Amino acid sequence: MRHIISLLMENESGALSRVSGLFSARGYNIESLNVAPTEDETLSRMTIVTSGSNEVIEQIIKQLNKLIDVVKVLDLNDGRHIERELMIVKVKATNKYRDEVKRISDTFGGRIIEIAETTFTIELTGPSSELDGYLDSLDKAAIIETVRTGALGIGRGDRILKI
Amino acid sequence: MKPEIITGAEITIRSLQEENVEFVFGYPGGAVLNIYDAIHQQTVFKHVLVRHEQAAVHAADAFSRATGRVGVALVTSGPGATNAVTGIATAHMDSIPIVIISGQVPTHAIGSDAFQECDTVGITRPCVKHNFLVKDVNKIASTIKKAFFIASTGRPGPVLVDIPKDITTETAEFIYPKTIDMRSYNPVVKGHSGQISKAIDLLINAKKPMVYSGGGAVLGDAAKSLTKLVKKLDLPITNTLMGLGGFPASDQNFLGMLGMHGTYQANMAMQECDVLLAVGARFDDRVISNPEHFLKNPKKIIHVDIDPASISKRVKIDIPIVGDVDLVLIDLLKAYQEVEKNHNKKLISPWMEKIKDWSDTDCMAYKDDGSVIKPQLVVQKLHEVTKGDAFITSDVGQHQMWAAQYYPFDKPRRWINSGGLGTMGVGLPYAMGCQLAFPESQVACVTGEASIQMCIQELSTCKQYNLPIKIITLNNRYMGMVRQWQEFFYGNRYAESYVDALPDFIKLAESYGHVGMKIEKSSDVEGALKEAFSPKLKERLVFMDFITDQTENVFPMIPSGKGLSEMILAKDE
């Protein structure tokens, strides 16, 4: 099953490689990994999307907790949460396609952020599955380039990851 | 008071002194010259010059295994650090607390492919508990403090501190922190009381209880409480290879070692028990073999361990108790005292009868007609001659298993070997670490003619520091364990397992300034050992080359992937 794991870790050099190294060394899946500083400059927040059986996910959480630089780990799938991913897509948009691309983008709540002679660049935010749906709706041949952040997640209501 | 402004090199040395370090095992080189210069000007700790960085880490590791304190190694950048990696990985697999200080090229040269540069922090990351690159002279002291704290607390392990050369010449005020507080690292110490009473309830109502303890019981200094608990409840117990000495081998409750080369009774009891208490052990592949087979006989498992990640890793645990094993065992004893009156010890009588039947198979018997030296006999005689009280180190292979099987350990921290990584070459540097820690004790290195050659250069270190180690080489002219597997599973095709062109070990030992002995007759074994351990040779290293039965195998044996009860016994051969 797919899990979104959020963690706070000391903002030290090499911290990212400790996490990515753990996943490769122990053969865990990694779908996406996102890391950035938080409002507390000494901490980084990392969001990892992974998949595995319950036993494997349990081990992943334990092994992450075991890393010395990791302060706190939360499996967002243990409770209600919000998931968002940002994607930027460049698509071929010549005469006859321009209206169709705009229409599909509007349907998914996408925003055209650049209009060039033959291309549109669209920004889209939503749960990862919704972004997949958007890409599926486009003509495959029209997609020139996609760039995605990987999923981010946050607990709903009073589910908070903070120290 | 005037602030004390000193160089980074001096800060490094002073920090080690603050940690009451007794020995630093190391080898100098460009990047650590400033640190060595500071060592030259101090007398608080002793530096031990090895002949290869791998041995420095092994010796520091053994010092820790034998004493329970943190071992320290010091190596230079580049090849110094890469040579140390085998030692670090060995310590990591067995959870041994050591601190490794490595030199690094100057900060401005990092990343430029400078002479003797390597990404030490990157290379060692997967085989340390933690590591640091210090880029600021003001942080050397606090980083070393953290390194010792992390290495020795929680589940112990090696911690590496990489220090660039320019940082060791810069100056700063020396302040050694008294305490350390890390928000990201707070190992659990005390076991959960609810789990503890549940565990006792299961144990006293079990019909077929069993205790299995590992390296964690030894490293956690829990041997005393473990023995007390097992004797109080009167339970059968087995130890893993790493756990030997955690419970006295001569005690009647002890079933011997379990696992791939464990005793028949220990493996059968593990397989068939209904309640299992695991203490500081991790259910690894060489111990329980195939986990599905192991769980074919339903059992409730209680697992006491300091490391939450060890719980339910290979086998699902019913009652996990995370905490310091010694403290948990003490709490288990207290919890037992409250319900002791309800404990009907007769409940397990049929189980104990069954175990006795298994023990009667006498799985450790071996044929000996005296025509050739049996390796098992050498170890048994070594036990007699040293009165079972020596520090025994070993390398890796058949001789390691025979040492574990035929030298019963009654005390913890006496059996020093590489269980997890299985590193050939550890035996001699391990013996150095033990002998330096305990100069008055007998230290024997049980090895083979293949393993001993992997760190043979350390005979020179032994000469320099007058270490009177006794090297017991079981020389069968084969990489014995490789040969055994080739005999069993590869149709007797002995691919590259014959050790050809062996040196004359006697002359070799003598050329290093030691005593050499060659023993070729079974009837000479005891006499030779007595001589080696006699007062006459008390101050000397003796290299004993026992020419043993070339094709002897280690029994019992569980073939890889098979179940605990699927042992091959000597009589089946």
Side-chain angles (χ1 to χ4, degrees):
Chain A
M1 195 187 140
R2 179 174 179 268
H3 281 246
I4 303 177
I5 297 168
S6 279
L7 60 91
L8 291 171
M9 64 192 304
E10 299 289 355
N11 192 3
E12 300 274 353
S13 69
L16 172 62
S17 60
R18 289 185 205 280
V19 173
S20 60
L22 166 68
F23 274 74
S24 62
R26 295 197 180 263
Y28 302 142
N29 294 320
I30 196 158
E31 191 178 295
S32 70
L33 188 157
N34 177 289
V35 58
T38 63
E39 74 282 5
D40 175 349
E41 63 188 23
T42 64
L43 286 174
S44 298
R45 177 153 172 158
M46 194 177 280
T47 311
I48 303 160
V49 179
T50 183
S51 57
S53 63
N54 290 341
E55 290 75 31
V56 168
I57 299 295
E58 186 185 327
Q59 264 298 310
I60 290 175
I61 304 277
K62 284 175 174 174
Q63 293 292 345
L64 284 170
N65 268 311
K66 202 168 151 177
L67 292 176
I68 305 291
D69 283 337
V70 170
V71 186
K72 226 169 180 179
V73 184
L74 180 67
D75 181 356
L76 287 172
N77 290 65
D78 279 350
R80 298 197 319 132
H81 63 279
I82 301 163
E83 175 193 341
R84 286 293 179 273
E85 181 172 1
L86 167 67
M87 172 168 73
I88 303 173
V89 196
K90 190 173 284 181
V91 293
K92 218 185 282 172
T94 43
N95 298 340
K96 59 175 183 178
Y97 284 125
R98 286 177 97 91
D99 281 351
E100 192 184 343
V101 170
K102 174 139 187 10
R103 189 175 50 76
I104 295 171
S105 301
D106 285 347
T107 312
F108 281 85
R111 212 158 61 90
I112 298 172
I113 51 176
E114 196 209 16
I115 301 176
E117 211 169 311
T118 56
T119 62
F120 281 172
T121 301
I122 302 113
E123 170 194 318
L124 188 66
T125 312
S128 303
S129 55
E130 211 173 292
L131 305 192
D132 295 339
Y134 172 72
L135 291 177
D136 289 344
S137 308
L138 292 174
D139 175 5
K140 265 212 176 63
I143 301 170
I144 298 169
E145 193 179 346
T146 61
V147 50
R148 300 172 67 152
T149 57
L152 302 179
I154 195 162
R156 282 192 185 270
D158 55 5
R159 275 195 93 211
I160 290 160
L161 176 64
K162 207 174 167 64
I163 57 165
Chain B
M1 211 174 82
K2 225 177 100 189
E4 196 183 1
I5 309 291
I6 56 177
T7 67
E10 289 163 336
I11 292 174
T12 307
I13 296 319
R14 287 285 298 278
S15 302
L16 296 179
Q17 292 172 352
E18 290 285 335
E19 291 292 338
N20 297 315
V21 169
E22 223 180 308
F23 294 102
V24 171
F25 299 88
Y27 203 100
V32 284
L33 280 173
N34 295 320
I35 297 176
Y36 270 87
D37 195 44
I39 289 181
H40 195 70
Q41 297 171 52
Q42 65 90 46
T43 52
V44 177
F45 61 76
K46 190 167 178 181
H47 178 273
V48 178
L49 176 68
V50 294
R51 299 300 183 265
H52 187 294
E53 287 90 349
Q54 180 188 343
V57 183
H58 288 329
D61 164 348
F63 175 84
S64 176
R65 290 180 199 243
T67 62
R69 299 173 49 199
V70 177
V72 181
L74 169 60
V75 298
T76 193
S77 64
T82 55
N83 278 346
V85 167
T86 299
I88 298 170
T90 305
H92 186 242
M93 283 290 269
D94 290 342
S95 308
I96 307 302
I98 55 172
V99 169
I100 307 98
I101 310 271
S102 57
Q104 182 53 277
V105 300
T107 44
H108 58 79
I110 290 179
S112 69
D113 298 326
F115 177 65
Q116 292 197 329
E117 180 186 359
C118 74
D119 175 11
T120 303
V121 165
I123 289 174
T124 57
R125 187 175 299 122
C127 61
V128 292
K129 182 170 175 186
H130 198 58
N131 59 17
F132 297 95
L133 170 63
V134 189
K135 284 185 169 171
D136 176 356
V137 65
N138 292 295
K139 288 190 173 159
I140 294 178
S142 60
T143 305
I144 292 178
K145 176 81 187 176
K146 272 187 198 168
F148 276 80
F149 174 64
I150 294 169
S152 58
T153 52
R155 179 173 180 175
V159 179
L160 178 135
V161 182
D162 201 26
I163 310 179
K165 190 172 185 180
D166 54 333
I167 302 301
T168 60
T169 51
E170 287 173 17
T171 56
E173 185 182 358
F174 179 65
I175 307 165
Y176 201 68
K178 291 222 155 33
T179 55
I180 211 91
D181 181 40
M182 294 174 71
R183 62 180 172 184
S184 65
Y185 176 68
N186 297 294
V188 176
V189 175
K190 207 158 162 50
H192 189 279
S193 57
Q195 297 287 79
I196 284 170
S197 37
K198 267 194 225 164
I200 284 296
D201 187 52
L202 262 184
L203 281 169
I204 62 170
N205 290 307
K207 292 194 178 71
K208 299 185 284 180
M210 178 70 181
V211 183
Y212 137 70
S213 81
V218 174
L219 298 175
D221 291 317
K224 241 192 201 154
S225 350
L226 176 67
T227 309
K228 221 168 153 184
L229 183 78
V230 168
K231 292 305 287 177
K232 192 106 187 160
L233 275 79
D234 201 13
L235 302 171
I237 177 169
T238 178
N239 288 162
T240 68
L241 178 70
M242 295 311 296
L244 294 175
F247 185 87
S250 57
D251 192 283
Q252 56 172 355
N253 292 52
F254 189 61
L255 307 188
M257 180 174 78
L258 84 161
M260 183 172 270
H261 296 294
T263 64
Y264 186 68
Q265 56 272 27
N267 285 338
M268 291 305 290
M270 273 295 277
Q271 181 68 31
E272 296 199 7
C273 65
D274 64 353
V275 173
L276 177 65
L277 171 65
V279 182
R282 58 190 178 90
F283 297 86
D284 84 82
D285 55 314
R286 286 296 192 268
V287 168
I288 60 153
S289 223
N290 180 337
E292 281 84 48
H293 186 279
F294 175 62
L295 295 176
K296 266 187 190 162
N297 300 64
K299 43 178 85 70
K300 293 272 179 208
I301 307 178
I302 306 155
H303 190 181
V304 182
D305 207 286
I306 188 86
D307 178 11
S310 277
I311 309 280
S312 295
K313 187 167 70 178
R314 289 194 82 232
V315 168
K316 183 102 187 98
I317 301 302
D318 301 284
I319 303 190
I321 308 176
V322 174
D324 176 287
V325 283
D326 190 45
L327 296 181
V328 172
L329 289 167
I330 290 170
D331 284 347
L332 282 167
L333 261 165
K334 276 190 205 145
Y336 175 69
Q337 273 154 12
E338 284 169 29
V339 292
E340 196 173 354
K341 54 182 187 313
N342 307 331
H343 187 198
N344 173 14
K345 288 185 180 169
K346 290 217 175 77
L347 197 63
I348 67 166
S349 300
W351 173 237
M352 297 312 282
E353 279 301 312
K354 200 165 188 185
I355 289 175
K356 201 189 156 298
D357 287 347
W358 287 326
S359 303
D360 286 344
T361 55
D362 198 12
C363 66
M364 304 290 276
Y366 60 94
K367 288 193 200 94
D368 184 2
D369 61 10
S371 62
V372 55
I373 299 178
K374 286 286 179 178
Q376 299 95 326
L377 176 82
V378 179
V379 177
Q380 285 175 322
K381 291 292 171 195
L382 175 66
H383 183 257
E384 276 174 40
V385 170
T386 58
K387 300 187 175 61
D389 203 29
F391 285 87
I392 304 292
T393 76
S394 90
D395 274 299
V396 170
Q398 285 186 322
H399 67 268
Q400 177 190 24
M401 293 302 119
W402 286 318
Q405 290 176 327
Y406 294 93
Y407 197 107
F409 292 93
D410 278 344
K411 293 179 189 166
R413 299 193 181 279
R414 290 298 167 114
W415 166 236
I416 314 287
N417 82 127
S418 164
L421 197 66
T423 308
M424 287 171 72
V426 295
L428 183 53
Y430 272 2
M432 292 167 14
C434 295
Q435 191 75 77
L436 281 158
F438 296 99
E440 296 307 316
S441 298
Q442 292 177 336
V443 178
C445 163
V446 177
T447 181
E449 81 289 350
S451 279
I452 190 68
Q453 293 192 78
M454 284 211 189
C455 268
I456 193 98
Q457 75 285 344
E458 296 309 314
L459 284 173
S460 175
T461 311
C462 295
K463 182 63 188 169
Q464 183 173 346
Y465 298 95
N466 297 315
L467 305 178
I469 294 159
K470 313 303 175 210
I471 298 173
I472 316 292
T473 306
L474 304 178
N475 183 348
N476 60 359
R477 286 83 69 212
Y478 270 117
M479 292 160 211
M481 192 58 93
V482 172
R483 194 207 61 77
Q484 178 169 342
W485 281 54
Q486 289 171 335
E487 180 190 326
F488 288 8
F489 314 118
Y490 294 89
N492 297 68
R493 293 182 298 280
Y494 299 133
E496 306 293 330
S497 57
Y498 182 73
V499 182
D500 215 343
L502 286 173
D504 179 336
F505 286 114
I506 313 311
K507 281 190 189 153
L508 182 75
E510 285 169 359
S511 80
Y512 277 108
H514 302 305
V515 178
M517 279 186 193
K518 187 169 189 166
I519 304 96
E520 294 175 279
K521 286 209 299 245
S522 190
S523 52
D524 291 341
V525 169
E526 189 171 350
L529 282 166
K530 278 186 173 157
E531 191 188 341
F533 284 95
S534 70
K536 190 181 76 172
L537 294 175
K538 192 169 182 288
E539 310 291 326
R540 304 295 301 275
L541 183 148
V542 183
F543 193 117
M544 309 187 75
D545 188 16
F546 289 92
I547 307 302
T548 60
D549 187 350
Q550 206 164 9
T551 56
E552 183 66 336
N553 290 320
V554 180
F555 290 111
M557 177 174 184
I558 306 170
S560 195
K562 292 277 188 180
L564 270 178
S565 55
E566 299 174 311
M567 282 162 278
I568 308 172
L569 299 175
K571 62 174 166 46
D572 301 333
E573 224 204 3

